[in-house]
Amino acid sequence: MKLIFERSVPGRRCSILPACDVEETPLPESLRRAEAPVLPELSEQDLSRHYTELNHHVHGVNCGFYPLGSCTMKYNPRINEEMAALPGFTGIHPLAPAHTVQGCRRVLELAQQYLCEITGMDGMTFQPAAGAHGEFTGVLLIKQYHDARGDKKRTKIIVPDSAHGTNPATAAMCGYQVVNIPSAPNGCVDLEALKAVLGDDTAGLMLTNPNTVGIFDENILEITRLVHEAGGLCYYDGANLNAVMGVVRPGDMGFDCIHLNLHKTFSTPHGGGGPGAGAVGCKDFLKPYLPHSATLDGVGHIQVRAFAGNFLVVVRALAYLLTLGREGVPEAAQNAVLNANYLMRRMAGTFRPAFDRICMHEFVLDLSEFKKETGVSALDVAKTLIDYGMHPPTMYFPLIVHEALMLEPTETESRETLDEAAEIFRKLYELGHKDPEYMHAAPHHAQIGRPDEVQAARNPILRWTRA
Ligand SMILES: *Cc1c(COP(=O)(O)O)cnc(C)c1O
């Protein structure tokens, strides 16, 4: 497809400006360009076709199935976008006097109240702009707590190997030594390994639950009890809360603080670089350490972002919660879990799950056997799926499963869509045995096939420059 600059024809226009009805005042010479800017020149129709063509090359949730793992809800109801676009929410200034923005303060308060109820926490901040930012804030709460007690010997944070990659990164960013512990063969935390590393130098434990292989840790109460016994605090990575929301509460499992990804579970589109909100909730005793935000009384010790964070993300979350209500929230979680388990079972006889047990909102396939038999890798399967009109699952994550494909159908997909997806996977399984070469070369019908991923990551060319 041509770039918009390559479609450009000098002098072609699609804008008709209204006649100037004020006296023209030329810009001072010092502010004027020496040369006209290089902008594409197109007719309205060519412009429209250009963007429509671009649109056709993008696979979104409006085009088809999108089982990308670790991203939770993908279809974000339009009504929530409409709420976030209301001028009363978009037109406010963060320094507006409180009595002029009572509606907005009420949104923050209600969202905080509902999300605290869902998580079993007592206080919450919406300042952090992303999940990782929320983790950073949450671990700083833990740090402030120990510091305030003069407990300086707690220098270590325990992170199971099934945690999201941001967990160890966060602990290190907060100045802690990261202690990695292995998973047991069933995908849960190995309790003996945990006991072996707990001690009076333990500041806390960060647990991703459900973990990155989509499993709810069956020893969760025992885990938080052991950590507390050692004097540490428990952090819950709740980025993917839609597997459990309204069903069980991290606060009841013994966790002291948590972050949620409002941009994964509560109706803000995830991806594309934001904006997001990594809401951080905590128990009463940690509330004094929360960052100051619009709804909290008094000024906290830390400030991780200006004002109340990405406010419109909170508006979407509240609109979503109000539409689902007390019955709808757990129902969404149950459907997410049901859909994942249904798809995993429908694949029986083809690709094997890495852990053959009931999963939560997502599951991981282990293609290492398949690769041994056929030479076709998880990457080849992901690339071939593009030709079948499906967005590939998350690949090569988590790292503890080789040749991993991580699938997450989400709560909104119908049984028919899941059946079709299982059928496509079956076809690819057979294709791998029959014509591996075809799969090595896939995709065959996409605009971009296999970019050099190292180059694309290290030297991305994101804008056109004149030759
Ligand atoms: C996505 C995710 C994060 C990080 O969230 P960002 O908003 O991308 O920073 C952390 N933990 C888990 C389990 C996640 O799925």
Side-chain angles (χ1 to χ4, degrees):
M1 158 172 189
K2 279 187 174 174
L3 296 176
I4 196 166
F5 291 95
E6 292 163 347
R7 287 172 177 261
S8 176
V9 177
R12 199 153 286 171
R13 288 287 178 273
C14 64
S15 56
I16 304 169
L17 294 179
C20 183
D21 58 359
V22 292
E23 196 186 324
E24 285 192 39
T25 314
L27 278 178
E29 197 57 42
S30 63
L31 295 180
R32 290 170 77 168
R33 292 172 174 274
E35 254 180 88
V38 184
L39 295 173
E41 300 172 85
L42 284 88
S43 71
E44 180 173 319
Q45 189 183 41
D46 287 341
L47 189 64
S48 166
R49 284 183 183 158
H50 176 76
Y51 283 110
T52 306
E53 193 183 344
L54 270 182
N55 186 22
H56 288 157
H57 294 314
V58 173
H59 184 93
V61 72
N62 297 324
C63 310
F65 193 40
Y66 204 116
L68 193 69
S70 198
C71 288
T72 57
M73 77 182 294
K74 280 125 196 160
Y75 183 75
N76 298 283
R78 295 298 181 261
I79 180 80
N80 305 334
E81 289 301 316
E82 275 176 42
M83 294 303 111
L86 288 174
F89 294 139
T90 57
I92 52 165
H93 191 281
L95 293 176
H99 71 275
T100 66
V101 288
Q102 286 299 304
C104 298
R105 290 172 70 96
R106 183 81 181 129
V107 166
L108 290 167
E109 214 171 81
L110 270 182
Q112 192 181 39
Q113 184 189 323
Y114 294 160
L115 291 172
C116 279
E117 194 177 323
I118 288 172
T119 53
M121 295 290 152
D122 303 312
M124 184 165 282
T125 174
F126 294 121
Q127 265 194 4
H133 198 192
E135 289 172 35
F136 180 71
T137 309
V139 173
L140 284 184
L141 300 187
I142 294 178
K143 192 175 186 118
Q144 291 177 93
Y145 167 80
H146 291 308
D147 284 353
R149 292 158 47 94
D151 196 348
K152 303 278 184 198
K153 60 190 179 303
R154 299 192 179 270
T155 52
K156 294 180 180 165
I157 294 261
I158 301 166
V159 183
D161 66 0
S162 59
H164 194 263
T166 47
N167 296 181
T170 294
M173 285 274 290
C174 292
Y176 283 111
Q177 198 181 325
V178 180
V179 181
N180 213 285
I181 53 167
S183 302
N186 66 358
C188 296
V189 170
D190 182 336
L191 287 181
E192 291 313 311
L194 175 63
K195 284 181 198 157
V197 295
L198 280 170
D200 60 4
D201 57 356
T202 302
L205 163 103
M206 294 181 83
L207 196 79
T208 302
N209 190 64
N211 65 19
T212 55
V213 289
I215 289 173
F216 189 104
D217 204 299
E218 59 195 25
N219 301 315
I220 205 136
L221 292 173
E222 180 69 359
I223 293 171
T224 54
R225 192 185 63 78
L226 288 170
V227 175
H228 283 152
E229 230 173 54
L233 298 188
C234 297
Y235 183 92
Y236 190 98
D237 181 334
N240 303 309
L241 200 78
N242 76 340
V244 301
M245 62 180 184
V247 181
V248 285
R249 312 192 312 161
D252 299 336
M253 302 174 206
F255 288 88
D256 305 295
C257 56
I258 177 174
H259 85 267
L260 308 174
N261 277 25
L262 301 191
H263 52 289
K264 277 185 184 171
T265 308
F266 295 98
S267 192
T268 284
H270 174 248
V280 172
C282 66
K283 287 286 178 70
D284 255 328
F285 74 99
L286 288 176
K287 264 166 79 171
Y289 310 113
L290 275 175
H292 164 70
S293 84
T295 54
L296 291 161
D297 303 325
V299 178
H301 295 226
I302 53 170
Q303 181 86 14
V304 295
R305 202 168 188 279
F307 307 109
N310 283 325
F311 171 64
L312 296 174
V313 176
V314 183
V315 174
R316 289 182 182 88
L318 180 63
Y320 183 60
L321 287 171
L322 289 171
T323 351
L324 289 187
R326 200 177 273 279
E327 293 79 37
V329 169
E331 204 179 314
Q334 284 152 358
N335 281 334
V337 172
L338 178 64
N339 278 355
N341 281 284
Y342 180 75
L343 185 57
M344 182 169 77
R345 291 298 157 212
R346 277 290 270 111
M347 288 198 183
T350 65
F351 299 108
R352 286 207 349 243
F355 298 92
D356 195 4
R357 52 179 293 180
I358 289 181
C359 64
M360 296 303 287
H361 58 301
E362 63 192 356
F363 61 95
V364 179
L365 297 175
D366 181 348
L367 272 63
S368 38
E369 278 294 308
F370 176 72
K371 190 177 172 190
K372 248 186 248 154
E373 289 164 21
T374 62
V376 173
S377 65
L379 176 73
D380 295 333
V381 172
K383 292 290 184 186
T384 314
L385 282 170
I386 297 172
D387 284 338
Y388 283 80
M390 193 195 294
H391 193 285
T394 300
M395 324 178 286
Y396 298 100
F397 182 84
L399 303 176
I400 50 177
V401 176
H402 301 294
E403 294 299 322
L405 285 181
M406 179 192 226
L407 282 91
E408 178 171 15
T410 78
E411 67 290 340
T412 41
E413 295 298 348
S414 67
R415 180 170 171 177
E416 291 72 24
T417 305
L418 301 178
D419 287 338
E420 280 167 28
E423 186 52 26
I424 292 174
F425 272 96
R426 193 188 55 74
K427 274 191 193 147
L428 297 203
Y429 184 81
E430 287 169 5
L431 190 61
H433 288 90
K434 268 194 286 210
D435 191 358
E437 286 313 315
Y438 182 86
M439 293 182 74
H440 293 321
H444 298 273
H445 308 292
Q447 202 51 218
I448 296 174
R450 300 200 179 205
D452 178 335
E453 291 182 11
V454 175
Q455 279 295 325
R458 301 268 178 246
N459 303 306
I461 301 170
L462 301 175
R463 53 191 277 261
W464 176 83
T465 39
R466 192 158 29 149

